[in-house]
Amino acid sequence: MELRQLEYFVAVAEERHFTRAAERMHVAQSGLSTSIRSLERELGASLFVRNTRSVELTNEGRALLTQARHALANVAAAKDAVAAVRGLLIGKLAVGTLQCLGAVDLPAALARFHADHPGVEIRLRQGGSPDLIERVRTGDLDLAFVSAPPGMVSGVTLAPIRAEPMVLACGPDHPLRERTTVDLCELAGETFVDFSPGWISRDVVDQAMAAAGVERRVAFEVNDVHWLLDLVSHGLGIAVVPQFFTTKRTAARFVPITDPPHWNVAVATASGRHPSTAATALLALDDIRPRTEAGQLPPAAIGRG
């Protein structure tokens, strides 16, 4: 098994198309296809289900994909280590992030990193925390800035950045708008706006409301922060959101919650694998280094998977 075969395999798996994979790897499609067939013969298994429009991974292919990404990441880390001794920082850095990340000014941090290390190619992917965490686990991303789930995550280490209290967001005419604080139990019977099921912030609020004995009705499910605040601003529902939403330009009003649930922001990296030199350099920047100061989550509070 050769590294080039693994690179071709990962390209086909990610592109789900032999022609696009060949273009991405700058090789003839016939050569790429021959390499994949040779790899399948060596492993004694079909890695793809092929059809005229696209290809899909078989169960064997999915098992190989995670290991192939890890193998390629280890080779890249070895090259990085040699380059670092020579005072160079090269290679690629794949970063994932939430749509709205109040704890870190990631665009500014990436700009600083790029200015310091122009030899590193940066790739950014935005998405929901569960998807980003899975991509870190499988090696598709070097690291990701995520909303930390309440429990342990297998194969991923979550280093805390900030534990942020959540607040009530309501419309400008809502009866609770002028309150100095509100209890969760007072929200019974309200119509809610929230993110879709599976989003970690949604899970945090669901658990907090259940603990307060409130059965809530989420009538408006969104996947965009601005949509959520617009719906709240027009009086269509209320929401429980991270405190940094108060910095957004919106007509919504925000009220502190007594004994609020917390939204925990963390950096996800793969367990059992040293981060690349580039990832380590990014995380060393002062404005995104994982913290343990007062008011922020200690590492033990999130743990390792």
Side-chain angles (χ1 to χ4, degrees):
M1 185 183 302
E2 299 176 358
L3 287 174
R4 179 61 63 181
Q5 288 176 308
L6 295 181
E7 290 175 339
Y8 290 170
F9 164 72
V10 171
V12 175
E14 292 179 347
E15 297 293 339
R16 293 175 30 176
H17 199 277
F18 276 85
T19 300
R20 289 197 298 268
E23 292 172 350
R24 167 174 156 179
M25 300 304 297
H26 305 291
V27 297
Q29 181 179 334
S30 58
L32 182 141
S33 298
T34 298
S35 180
I36 294 295
R37 285 196 296 269
S38 175
L39 180 60
E40 290 178 319
R41 284 196 300 271
E42 181 177 349
L43 295 174
S46 295
L47 301 175
F48 297 104
V49 177
R50 298 159 171 86
N51 59 50
T52 56
R53 293 189 176 181
S54 66
V55 295
E56 299 291 341
L57 286 166
T58 62
N59 290 335
E60 293 85 352
R62 281 190 288 271
L64 177 62
L65 181 58
T66 296
Q67 298 306 318
R69 283 172 169 163
H70 287 177
L72 294 174
N74 287 335
V75 171
K79 293 179 179 178
D80 287 349
V82 174
V85 172
R86 298 172 57 208
L88 301 173
L89 196 58
I90 59 175
K92 299 180 179 181
L93 176 63
V95 180
T97 183
L98 295 170
Q99 176 197 95
C100 200
L101 189 66
V104 174
D105 186 351
L106 188 57
L110 291 176
R112 281 183 52 199
F113 178 87
H114 178 66
D116 293 340
H117 309 291
V120 177
E121 178 186 340
I122 302 172
R123 178 168 64 90
L124 181 69
R125 184 181 187 93
Q126 194 178 78
S129 292
D131 176 62
L132 295 175
I133 290 171
E134 176 62 15
R135 289 180 179 276
V136 168
R137 189 190 67 79
T138 61
D140 186 37
L141 295 174
D142 293 302
L143 58 93
F145 296 88
V146 300
S147 176
M152 308 289 276
V153 180
S154 177
V156 174
T157 297
L158 295 165
I161 294 179
R162 181 173 300 169
E164 185 166 317
M166 303 187 82
V167 298
L168 171 68
C170 61
D173 298 321
H174 195 278
L176 295 174
R177 69 188 185 280
E178 301 292 348
R179 292 278 295 274
T180 57
T181 186
V182 64
D183 292 333
L184 290 178
C185 60
E186 296 181 74
L187 305 181
E190 294 278 359
T191 298
F192 281 82
V193 183
D194 209 331
F195 296 106
S196 302
W199 285 56
I200 291 172
S201 59
R202 167 73 179 265
D203 294 342
V204 169
V205 177
D206 282 344
Q207 292 179 17
M209 298 300 290
V214 176
E215 183 177 348
R216 68 176 186 145
R217 182 173 71 92
V218 180
F220 299 90
E221 294 180 346
V222 300
N223 59 7
D224 180 90
V225 171
H226 301 289
W227 258 92
L228 182 147
L229 292 176
D230 285 347
L231 290 168
V232 168
S233 296
H234 285 286
L236 292 170
I238 64 171
V240 177
V241 299
Q243 189 176 53
F244 81 89
F245 280 27
T246 62
T247 64
K248 301 294 181 184
R249 181 176 296 179
T250 176
R253 305 289 287 273
F254 299 95
V255 183
I257 295 172
T258 306
D259 191 21
H262 282 72
W263 186 65
N264 300 315
V265 180
V267 177
T269 55
S271 300
R273 192 173 80 232
H274 290 295
S276 68
T277 306
T280 301
L282 177 64
L283 292 176
L285 295 178
D286 288 340
D287 46 355
I288 62 173
R289 184 181 299 141
R291 294 170 168 81
T292 57
E293 286 99 4
Q296 295 172 332
L297 220 61
I302 293 182
R304 294 173 178 264

